[in-house]
């Protein structure tokens, strides 16, 4: 399976997905330090710098899965919880790319606060494009981390 990794950070999604036999064909990451880490570990995989200028149509019929942990600040209890009115709310950009690229699968991750603030919109958006959605809350302690830190996963 071919993967387009959005909000890539240092490549955690791709590392796990590649261990499951998938291949990342492109990243999208704005942070310069993270880009350097991605370049080191995936030297031949292109990195798009800005989600707002990435065209999804160029990946139509070439990718099977889009993954991404879109910014959590709009939903986090550590922030102001502005949701859709937060300028860092980038789910609409991820959804635009999903609509244009039409992958078979989408995997998204965010903070637990998203359940009360904005998750319904994400699920409605995906379902409007024909996706069947499953959501899971998985705490970091489920993988032996020394803290709870719940995360919502959308498949």
């Amino acid at each position: 399976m071919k993967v387009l990794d959005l909000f890539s950070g240092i490549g955690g999604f791709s590392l796990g997905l590649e261990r499951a036999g998938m291949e990342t064909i492109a990243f999208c990451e704005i942070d310069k330090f993270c880009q350097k880490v991605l370049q080191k570990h995936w030297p031949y995989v292109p990195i798009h710098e800005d989600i707002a200028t990435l065209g999804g149509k160029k990946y139509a019929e070439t990718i099977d899965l889009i993954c991404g942990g879109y910014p959590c600040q709009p939903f986090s209890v550590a922030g102001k919880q502005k949701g859709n009115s937060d300028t860092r709310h980038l789910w609409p950009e991820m959804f635009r790319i999903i609509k244009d690229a039409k992958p078979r699968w989408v995997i998204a991750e965010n903070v637990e606060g998203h359940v009360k603030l904005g998750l319904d919109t994400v699920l409605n958006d995906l379902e409007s494009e024909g996706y069947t959605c499953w959501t899971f809350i998985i705490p970091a302690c489920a993988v032996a981390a020394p803290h709870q830190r719940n995360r919502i996963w959308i498949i």
Side-chain angles (χ1 to χ4, degrees), residues 16-147:
L17 293 172
E18 288 185 358
R19 287 181 178 175
M22 300 180 203
E23 176 189 3
T24 300
I25 63 166
F27 294 105
C28 186
E29 177 53 54
I30 199 165
D31 183 88
K32 298 294 184 194
F33 174 78
C34 292
Q35 288 176 6
K36 289 178 184 177
V37 173
L38 294 171
Q39 288 170 344
K40 178 181 180 192
H41 295 288
W42 289 273
Y44 303 108
V45 177
I47 302 170
H48 300 281
E49 186 168 322
D50 189 351
I51 191 86
T53 60
L54 175 59
K57 289 182 181 172
K58 73 185 289 181
Y59 291 105
E61 298 183 24
T62 62
I63 59 165
D64 304 292
L65 186 147
I66 288 178
C67 65
Y70 49 97
C72 67
Q73 293 91 339
F75 319 109
S76 176
V77 295
K80 296 181 181 177
Q81 296 183 304
K82 290 183 174 182
N84 294 347
S85 60
D86 192 311
T87 58
R88 298 165 293 184
H89 178 53
L90 294 178
W91 164 252
E93 293 295 338
M94 184 170 178
F95 183 55
R96 174 185 56 79
I97 293 167
I98 291 166
K99 286 193 306 186
D100 288 347
K102 299 181 182 358
R104 184 170 177 163
W105 293 93
V106 175
I107 301 175
E109 175 272 339
N110 216 290
V111 295
E112 183 181 31
H114 195 17
V115 172
K116 294 180 181 176
L117 193 60
L119 180 60
D120 287 343
T121 299
V122 171
L123 298 177
N124 287 335
D125 286 348
L126 289 168
E127 289 171 355
S128 76
E129 290 297 309
Y131 291 96
T132 300
C133 301
W134 297 276
T135 58
F136 305 89
I137 293 178
I138 303 174
C141 61
V143 292
H147 51 83

